[in-house]
């Protein structure tokens, strides 16, 4: 799996119905399975970043887990500490927790390119036409580039 999990390996809702365990243990296992399913394990950069790449998120990341592609950023899922401070900084809402349905197709892409692209720790200059692409749909098919950015 690309994202980290916090709970014990293999913990899931079937633990609620384990026989031979006392009621307290079954309830505790059930609660833990439910609780761990609700915790976002990493944040993910999604399509809205393509051709916008404002980079406000980079300035607030305490662990420098952003990587720069030619026209978008990626978050390394194993470096992200799940603090969420980057999410509200993005003016185009291109950062979501991995539990968000919009992240589904992007988690693997973030993990793949975070190891190929250079790390970026300082905000750069967004593309001059970034505002023109803010609301555009279908940017992945039109513009995604596997090429690395400059990093910083």
């Amino acid at each position: 799996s690309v994202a980290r999990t916090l709970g014990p390996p293999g913990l899931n809702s079937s633990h609620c119905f384990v026989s031979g365990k006392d009621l307290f243990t079954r309830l505790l296992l059930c609660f833990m399975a439910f609780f761990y399913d609700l915790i976002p394990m990493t944040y993910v950069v999604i399509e809205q970043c393509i051709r916008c790449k404002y980079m406000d998120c980079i300035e607030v990341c305490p662990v420098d887990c952003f990587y720069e592609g030619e026209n978008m950023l990626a978050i390394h899922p194993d470096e992200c500490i799940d603090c969420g401070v980057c999410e509200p900084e993005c003016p185009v809402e291109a950062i979501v927790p991995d539990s968000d349905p919009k992240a589904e197709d992007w988690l693997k892409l973030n993990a793949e390119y975070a190891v190929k692209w250079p790390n970026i720790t300082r905000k750069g200059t967004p593309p001059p036409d970034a505002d023109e692409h803010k609301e555009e749909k279908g940017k992945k098919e039109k513009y995604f580039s596997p090429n690395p950015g400059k990093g910083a």
Side-chain angles (χ1 to χ4, degrees):
S1 164
V2 177
R4 294 173 296 184
T5 56
L6 294 176
L11 182 67
N12 59 50
S13 59
S14 67
H15 288 88
C16 300
F17 308 104
V18 173
S19 61
K21 301 278 186 190
D22 64 284
L23 179 61
F24 176 77
T25 302
R26 289 195 329 241
L27 288 173
L28 180 62
L29 288 170
C30 187
F31 171 78
M32 288 172 58
F34 178 76
F35 182 73
Y36 288 126
D37 283 344
L38 295 179
I39 299 173
M41 296 296 106
T42 190
Y43 282 80
V44 180
V45 178
I46 61 174
E47 184 171 39
Q48 286 88 324
C49 186
I50 298 175
R51 298 279 312 256
C52 289
K53 200 167 85 170
Y54 288 104
M55 298 183 267
D56 299 44
C57 51
I58 294 164
E59 292 288 303
V60 298
C61 181
V63 293
D64 299 330
C65 65
F66 282 91
Y67 291 80
E68 184 182 18
E70 183 176 37
N71 62 13
M72 76 171 286
L73 302 174
I75 293 175
H76 195 301
D78 293 332
E79 295 174 1
C80 176
I81 60 169
D82 321 318
C83 66
V85 296
C86 59
E87 186 180 19
E89 296 300 316
C90 182
V92 292
E93 299 178 357
I95 300 172
V96 297
D98 70 350
S99 58
D100 188 307
K102 292 182 271 185
E104 190 174 323
D105 297 333
W106 293 91
L107 183 58
K108 187 175 179 181
L109 186 138
N110 275 245
E112 178 182 348
Y113 287 99
V115 297
K116 295 178 181 179
W117 292 344
N119 187 241
I120 183 165
T121 59
R122 289 186 307 264
K123 181 179 176 177
T125 306
D129 61 347
D131 290 340
E132 297 170 28
H133 296 283
K134 268 183 169 179
E135 304 294 324
E136 190 172 349
K137 302 289 183 216
K139 295 195 286 185
K140 182 178 180 185
E141 292 77 22
K142 292 180 198 173
Y143 309 118
F144 175 76
S145 169
N147 297 328
K150 297 173 192 162

